[in-house]
Amino acid sequence: MELTQRHIKKIKWTTRMAFASLGILILALVINEFREPLFGIKKGYAPHNFGYNFTFFLPSMLIVIGLGFVVIGLAIKHWKTWTDLNKKLILIELSFPAIGIWIFIIVKMFIY
C-alpha cells in the first residue's frame, strides 16, 4: 500500500512534534537543574521557586506532555495506514519520556 502525500506530510509533522517534545523536555530539565547559577533561584526558597515553576517549568512541561499525547495519539490513529513499523515505534519512544516523567511525578506526589 502506497502512502499518499498527505500521510507523508503528517508523518513528517508528527516526527517534528516528537523531537520537539523530547528537546523541550531535556531543555526544561537542564535549566531546572541549573536554575541557581542561571537565575539565582535557590532551591528551597519558596517565593522564587513558585514564580519560576509557575512561569517557566509548568508551561514547558504542559507543552511537552501535550505534544507527547498528540504524537502517541496520531501514531495509534494511523497505525494501519502508516506502514513503517520502525517509524511508528520511534515516534512513540521519542514522546514516551515526557509521559513517563509525568507518571513518575504523579506517583511520587501520592507516595510522599
Side-chain angles (χ1 to χ4, degrees), residues 6 9 11 24 28 35 42 45 47-48 57 62 67 70 77 83-85 106:
R6 184 178 74 100
K9 285 183 181 180
I11 290 172
I24 294 171
R35 65 182 157 185
K42 295 185 190 298
Y45 186 63
H48 288 158
F57 195 69
L62 288 176
L67 285 173
V70 167
K77 179 182 176 185
T83 55
D84 189 7
L85 179 64
I106 291 171

XYZ file of all heavy atoms in Angstrom, residues 6 9 11 24 28 35 42 45 47-48 57 62 67 70 77 83-85 106:
164
model
N -0.404 13.285 1.612
C -0.953 13.816 2.858
C -0.426 13.036 4.059
O -0.071 13.621 5.080
C -2.474 13.743 2.821
C -3.172 14.350 3.996
C -4.665 14.259 3.827
N -5.144 12.913 4.034
C -5.696 12.492 5.171
N -5.872 13.315 6.158
N -6.107 11.253 5.295
N 3.256 13.925 4.685
C 3.370 15.207 5.394
C 2.995 15.044 6.866
O 3.618 15.640 7.740
C 2.475 16.257 4.743
C 3.001 16.793 3.450
C 2.094 17.875 2.907
C 2.625 18.410 1.581
N 1.758 19.468 1.049
N 3.298 12.334 8.688
C 4.382 11.614 9.360
C 5.527 12.571 9.676
O 6.091 12.549 10.773
C 4.873 10.430 8.502
C 3.817 9.338 8.461
C 6.175 9.867 9.045
C 4.119 8.220 7.490
N 12.319 19.885 24.176
C 11.844 20.814 25.195
C 11.949 20.180 26.578
O 12.291 20.851 27.558
C 10.400 21.263 24.892
C 10.370 22.096 23.615
C 9.822 22.073 26.046
C 8.968 22.397 23.114
N 14.111 21.859 29.466
C 13.471 22.270 30.718
C 14.133 21.602 31.919
O 14.342 22.256 32.951
C 11.984 21.936 30.681
N 19.173 26.123 37.717
C 18.443 27.381 37.884
C 19.125 28.331 38.847
O 18.964 29.538 38.737
C 17.015 27.116 38.322
C 16.886 26.481 39.665
C 15.453 26.210 39.975
N 15.397 25.146 40.978
C 14.305 24.605 41.393
N 13.166 25.008 40.909
N 14.330 23.662 42.285
N 17.417 29.962 44.525
C 17.923 28.939 45.428
C 16.852 27.880 45.657
O 15.681 28.197 45.827
C 18.323 29.567 46.759
C 19.479 30.530 46.634
C 19.887 31.013 48.016
C 20.862 32.141 47.965
N 22.097 31.954 47.385
N 13.795 28.063 48.491
C 13.280 29.396 48.770
C 11.951 29.531 48.030
O 11.897 29.691 46.822
C 14.285 30.461 48.334
C 13.872 31.854 48.725
C 13.737 32.196 50.057
C 13.602 32.817 47.763
C 13.348 33.466 50.431
C 13.209 34.089 48.123
C 13.092 34.410 49.458
O 12.699 35.660 49.822
N 9.196 31.658 47.514
C 8.639 32.623 46.544
C 9.307 32.561 45.171
O 8.626 32.584 44.150
C 8.881 33.975 47.201
C 9.039 33.689 48.643
C 9.640 32.321 48.736
N 10.621 32.430 45.140
C 11.300 32.370 43.848
C 11.005 31.058 43.135
O 10.822 31.025 41.921
C 12.804 32.543 44.020
C 13.183 33.939 44.376
N 14.370 34.228 44.986
C 12.539 35.121 44.232
C 14.450 35.537 45.192
N 13.346 36.098 44.746
N 8.649 26.404 34.265
C 8.695 24.948 34.286
C 7.341 24.315 33.987
O 7.243 23.387 33.180
C 9.252 24.457 35.626
C 9.671 23.026 35.606
C 10.776 22.638 34.875
C 8.967 22.065 36.295
C 11.171 21.314 34.834
C 9.348 20.747 36.269
C 10.450 20.367 35.539
N 3.791 21.298 30.398
C 2.471 21.098 29.796
C 2.563 21.004 28.276
O 1.862 20.196 27.657
C 1.529 22.227 30.211
C 1.056 22.192 31.660
C 0.215 23.418 31.968
C 0.298 20.925 31.954
N 2.362 17.589 23.552
C 2.969 17.064 22.320
C 3.128 15.550 22.390
O 2.917 14.844 21.397
C 4.331 17.726 22.086
C 4.320 19.160 21.588
C 5.746 19.717 21.567
C 3.701 19.256 20.217
N -0.230 13.934 21.773
C -0.633 14.102 20.372
C 0.131 13.130 19.475
O -0.456 12.489 18.594
C -0.433 15.562 19.912
C -0.546 15.686 18.413
C -1.437 16.468 20.592
N -3.691 6.286 15.946
C -4.778 6.530 14.995
C -4.423 6.033 13.593
O -5.251 5.461 12.896
C -5.089 8.019 14.945
C -6.181 8.396 13.978
C -6.390 9.891 13.954
C -7.414 10.278 12.900
N -7.544 11.723 12.782
N 2.822 2.447 7.198
C 3.285 1.074 7.061
C 4.626 0.804 7.721
O 4.936 -0.349 8.008
C 3.401 0.721 5.563
O 4.240 1.677 4.927
C 2.028 0.724 4.923
N 5.439 1.817 7.987
C 6.773 1.607 8.547
C 6.679 1.433 10.063
O 6.476 2.385 10.808
C 7.676 2.795 8.196
C 9.119 2.544 8.550
O 9.456 1.403 8.944
O 9.923 3.488 8.437
N 6.833 0.188 10.534
C 6.711 -0.110 11.953
C 7.810 0.568 12.761
O 7.560 1.077 13.854
C 6.744 -1.626 12.181
C 6.652 -2.076 13.640
C 5.310 -1.677 14.228
C 6.878 -3.562 13.753
N 3.481 12.159 39.328
C 2.180 11.924 39.961
C 2.278 10.813 40.998
O 1.744 10.931 42.109
C 1.106 11.634 38.887
C 0.837 12.903 38.073
C -0.169 11.106 39.526
C -0.029 12.693 36.874
